[in-house]
Structure formats: structure tokens, C-alpha cells
Amino acid sequence: QMTERIKIIRKKTEVIGAGRTDAGVHAAGMTANAFLDTERSCEEIRDYMNRYLPEDIAVKEVREASPRFHARYNAIGKTYRYTCHEGAVKSVFDRKYCTRLEEKPDLQPMRQAAELLVGRHDFRNFCVNPRMKKSTVRQVDRIRIEREGDYLTFTVHGAGFLQGMVRIM
């Protein structure tokens, strides 16, 4: 295993992700970049990585990018989706991926409140880091709150978010 690893990458490589995920959060489409010294094809790199990564991480696609590409600084948007289950009987199969609600919330006032958060605002009060030195102004493009059967989904899209911002919202 170690010799194969040396053959494909040749040296220790830094991987830069588009962002971080908090504990209990799952990334469905995280972009990352790395400089790899290899002659392997993108498909071979993807297959190799998927063979050795833990079971809860998968590489969907590998593409060659410009040397100036940076996964975090060149990101044009990020989408967060929170899923809640509000049915009478708890859902045992997706319990790791959704929050159980004891009561059925009224979505209309929630949607009205969410509309106030859409746009370019100072989200200082929605940041878990009270000593944030950088600008706390962010652009929220859209917030959708939808009910489908026993599930509620809260989807927030924007250019970037402060630490803990979406969870607090």
C-alpha cells in the first residue's frame, strides 16, 4: 500500500478545501485543490483516492485546474441544507442526517423572517466568533424553507458565510 502511494503522488501534498464543516455536518459537494506531481490520469487519481479514503469520504470527480485556482478563494457560492423530520414516528434510517422535531412548525412566519436575511447585511450577530477581525458583511442570495411529507428542508445559498452563521440563522 505504501509503495503504491509513493508511486502515484511522489511527495506529501497539501489539500485545500473550499471550506470547513462543523461537527455533525456532511458535505455533499466540497471542492478542493492540490498540486500533484504525477502522470496519472484524472480518473486514475479519483479511483486511487476512493480506494484508500475512509468509507464516509468519496471523490466524485478529479479535474485539472489552472495553477492559480484556489478552492476557497475562487468559490462562487456555497449552499447549506438542513433537514428536519417532523413525523409522528421517528425516522430510524436517516437519523444521522436530519434533526427530529417534536412539533410541526408554522412555515409562513419562518419564511417571512428568512426574507429579512436575504441580501447584503452585516451578520456580526450570527457569528460564533465574537472577536471577528475581518468584515462580517455577507451576501445571502436565497433561503428556501420547504415541507415534503414528514420532512422540512432549510436551504441557504450565498457567496460565503461566517463561522456558525447558517446554523445560527
Side-chain angles (χ1 to χ4, degrees):
Q1 180 180 354
M2 186 54 80
T3 27
E4 186 178 353
R5 189 172 292 162
I6 291 168
K7 285 181 187 174
I8 197 161
I9 297 185
R10 294 189 186 143
K11 64 179 181 178
K12 191 172 182 175
T13 303
E14 179 185 13
V15 176
I16 300 166
R20 348 170 256 290
T21 57
D22 297 336
V25 176
H26 308 277
M30 176 72 74
T31 299
N33 69 281
F35 292 96
L36 301 178
D37 181 14
T38 181
E39 284 87 37
R40 302 287 178 131
S41 71
C42 291
E43 291 78 19
E44 288 173 315
I45 295 168
R46 180 202 60 212
D47 294 346
Y48 172 83
M49 292 174 70
N50 283 326
R51 190 172 332 132
Y52 293 106
L53 283 168
E55 287 186 12
D56 59 344
I57 300 174
V59 175
K60 293 180 179 180
E61 181 182 19
V62 172
R63 281 196 271 170
E64 191 169 343
S66 158
R68 296 180 56 110
F69 176 77
H70 191 286
R72 189 164 26 124
Y73 301 135
N74 295 123
I76 56 172
K78 295 180 181 182
T79 302
Y80 284 75
R81 185 176 69 212
Y82 290 85
T83 304
C84 300
H85 184 265
E86 60 180 7
V89 178
K90 66 183 176 183
S91 176
V92 295
F93 295 109
D94 57 10
R95 68 189 182 281
K96 293 182 180 180
Y97 308 105
C98 66
T99 300
R100 172 100 174 105
L101 300 177
E102 296 300 322
E103 298 178 25
K104 245 184 175 167
D106 184 354
L107 299 191
Q108 194 53 36
M110 294 172 75
R111 289 179 178 133
Q112 289 172 341
E115 282 303 312
L116 298 173
L117 298 171
V118 173
R120 189 169 185 78
H121 305 290
D122 186 344
F123 286 95
R124 177 179 309 277
N125 294 328
F126 292 87
C127 181
V128 296
N129 180 0
R131 296 179 192 85
M132 180 77 168
K133 301 279 189 246
K134 298 177 185 172
S135 172
T136 52
V137 173
R138 295 292 185 271
Q139 171 73 36
V140 174
D141 299 322
R142 68 182 170 276
I143 300 176
R144 287 194 327 259
I145 302 171
E146 300 166 305
R147 178 178 278 135
E148 187 174 325
D150 290 340
Y151 292 89
L152 290 179
T153 57
F154 301 85
T155 308
V156 181
H157 182 272
F161 301 101
L162 301 169
Q163 186 180 358
M165 177 177 152
V166 177
R167 189 173 284 200
I168 294 169
M169 289 168 48

